[in-house]
Amino acid sequence: MQLIQDYPVINIPLILSVFSPAYSAAAIARSNAAEKPLRQHVMAYAFSGWSPSLSQKTGFTTITRHPNPLRSINSNKHSIWHNLNRLLPYINQYKYTLQNSSGNDMSKTTLWRGIITLLLLAFYSSSQANPWAMVTEPVQIGPVAQSIGTYNGGCLSGAVSLPPNGTGYQVMRLSRHRVYGHPDLKRFIEQLGRTTATQGLGVLLIGDMGQPRGGPTLNGHRSHQTGLDVDIWFLLSKQAENRVLSFNERETWSASSVLVSGSENIDYAQWSLAHEKVLEAAARMPEVDRIFVNPSVKRELCMRKISHDWLRKIRPWWKHDDHFHVRLKCPAGDNRCIGQEPLPQGDGCDAGLAWWFSAEAKKPATKKTVPDKAPELPALCAAVLRE
């Protein structure tokens, strides 16, 4: 699969082909402000499954999916030397060349900067690496897909990937490589996309799903571990309705908040009836367990004179002002999946919602001197990771 970015590669020193994407990030860091998106992408590539190469015919960067060197690094029990040894074969096997307009070879200063960058990345990875984040392909143990453990402490066997484009949706942040989920999650997103398209509500921009085998992520989430969670942006872009977004747009666009800046009030320039109908369509799907939104979004829905029977699934949670988080129920017959506690009775438009606007709810959490211990994963997850 290939995607063509929408900006040319200019004024970037030639990166010798014997070096890895991690190396070339150092040289790209010296390029001018016009190339900022490219610099950001290359640093993302160093920790993802995507690598860029230059099209000699067009001068545009082509993004090619293949195993990336840094994803071969093992878990943090290994030393920097172990990680360097793991990197070396990939330096020759997976490479790309970035050439400037004059075609001049890079300077010795750039060369040494690149070598130092590679060393630093290997050192960083030896201390920070997450084995779940470095797995590039799903695996299936058993005849059917399984969500194993809890949403905050589990893994996924038999994951499927969501295509980057479908009826009524487009996937954002492809470089994060979080486009995997249980088959039920893929079906849910595709069905919700078809519903929004049929009703003329816009195109859904899909954020994070999960990793190829689920499990803890390096950043961004404590949940999304069993393939049953997905973030969907509130941004209903007119551009996305009319064309396929470029790779660059998917990486650099931001999800817009639906709140007035610095307040708890809904920004009606960003919020519309279409958002309400998308949430209702999602909540009415029987496989959905709950949907997390900002408390102000929940309050807005409660204040509207609408049918409240589906609002029970709309749950207030901190942040979530630029996206909503859909969580599915444990799949039928999946006895290794541990669901969340049942939802309380009622539509949630009661004193429980009022608490979210209290001083207690707004009070910043006290800083912990010792971080929370990560939940212990079920024993079967070790086999999922090992396969």
Side-chain angles (χ1 to χ4, degrees):
M1 171 187 173
Q2 293 186 331
L3 295 167
I4 305 299
Q5 294 195 56
D6 59 357
Y7 51 82
V9 179
I10 53 176
N11 297 324
I12 298 176
L14 176 65
I15 307 303
L16 298 180
S17 63
V18 295
F19 290 100
S20 70
Y23 162 76
S24 57
I28 290 171
R30 301 177 63 203
S31 57
N32 61 34
E35 295 148 2
K36 182 178 179 182
L38 180 59
R39 295 200 307 273
Q40 292 173 337
H41 293 336
V42 170
M43 293 312 293
Y45 302 146
F47 294 95
S48 73
W50 297 83
S51 290
S53 59
L54 183 69
S55 167
Q56 298 297 331
K57 292 183 179 179
T58 65
F60 284 70
T61 300
T62 302
I63 310 303
T64 307
R65 178 77 179 88
H66 61 64
N68 182 286
L70 288 181
R71 298 187 72 83
S72 71
I73 295 175
N74 236 316
S75 62
N76 57 10
K77 66 183 179 180
H78 295 296
S79 69
I80 179 174
W81 306 115
H82 178 94
N83 285 338
L84 279 173
N85 286 332
R86 293 291 297 272
L87 281 170
L88 288 175
Y90 287 88
I91 291 173
N92 288 320
Q93 185 179 359
Y94 300 106
K95 58 192 178 180
Y96 67 82
T97 300
L98 294 172
Q99 188 174 31
N100 66 5
S101 56
S102 64
N104 293 328
D105 287 354
M106 62 185 176
S107 67
K108 288 184 179 179
T109 300
T110 304
L111 175 66
W112 279 108
R113 285 182 179 179
I115 294 172
I116 291 170
T117 299
L118 181 59
L119 289 168
L120 288 175
L121 285 171
F123 174 78
Y124 174 85
S125 299
S126 67
S127 61
Q128 301 293 326
N130 175 339
W132 293 97
M134 291 182 295
V135 173
T136 60
E137 301 295 337
V139 68
Q140 183 163 319
I141 297 176
V144 296
Q146 299 178 80
S147 292
I148 303 163
T150 68
Y151 301 100
N152 293 355
C155 61
L156 176 61
S157 167
V160 293
S161 62
L162 181 70
N165 306 302
T167 302
Y169 79 85
Q170 296 191 43
V171 180
M172 307 299 283
R173 301 293 190 269
L174 292 171
S175 68
R176 288 167 69 87
H177 200 49
R178 296 177 182 174
V179 295
Y180 293 87
H182 190 281
D184 284 4
L185 184 63
K186 177 176 180 286
R187 283 191 290 268
F188 161 77
I189 295 169
E190 290 172 336
Q191 179 57 53
L192 184 62
R194 287 191 290 268
T195 299
T196 58
T198 300
Q199 296 184 16
L201 301 177
V203 171
L204 302 176
L205 299 182
I206 307 300
D208 280 359
M209 295 169 60
Q211 299 174 140
R213 302 183 193 181
T217 60
L218 276 173
N219 53 58
H221 307 284
R222 294 190 66 180
S223 58
H224 291 250
Q225 295 193 30
T226 57
L228 299 173
D229 294 278
V230 60
D231 292 335
I232 302 177
W233 292 15
F234 279 127
L235 177 62
L236 296 173
S237 166
K238 291 295 181 185
Q239 293 185 60
E241 287 186 53
N242 298 321
R243 61 179 174 83
V244 175
L245 299 179
S246 70
F247 188 91
N248 183 37
E249 288 169 322
R250 296 175 196 241
E251 295 296 301
T252 58
W253 278 17
S254 296
S256 303
S257 173
V258 295
L259 302 184
V260 175
S261 180
S263 82
E264 299 169 342
N265 299 321
I266 293 290
D267 182 354
Y268 292 103
Q270 301 293 338
W271 178 264
S272 68
L273 180 62
H275 293 96
E276 177 184 308
K277 295 211 172 280
V278 169
L279 288 171
E280 179 177 0
R284 289 193 181 280
M285 295 175 74
E287 64 268 39
V288 172
D289 183 64
R290 63 197 72 201
I291 300 172
F292 299 103
V293 300
N294 185 271
S296 294
V297 171
K298 172 77 175 187
R299 181 173 63 182
E300 174 71 13
L301 296 173
C302 289
M303 290 171 60
R304 296 254 305 137
K305 293 182 178 180
I306 57 176
S307 171
H308 281 203
D309 59 323
W310 56 274
L311 283 183
R312 182 184 180 200
K313 290 185 181 180
I314 306 296
R315 311 307 300 172
W317 200 251
W318 288 280
K319 299 183 180 178
H320 290 80
D321 57 302
D322 58 6
H323 73 279
F324 59 99
H325 174 166
V326 180
R327 174 165 292 168
L328 301 190
K329 299 172 183 176
C330 282
D334 193 339
N335 57 13
R336 296 185 181 275
C337 179
I338 302 173
Q340 205 165 340
E341 68 280 357
L343 292 170
Q345 294 298 317
D347 58 18
C349 301
D350 50 22
L353 176 59
W355 177 85
W356 287 94
F357 301 93
S358 68
E360 181 184 6
K362 297 174 189 176
K363 184 179 178 182
T366 55
K367 213 168 189 179
K368 297 181 180 180
T369 54
V370 179
D372 290 336
K373 185 179 178 182
E376 188 173 340
L377 303 185
L380 185 57
C381 287
V384 171
L385 184 61
R386 186 171 57 246
E387 285 293 324

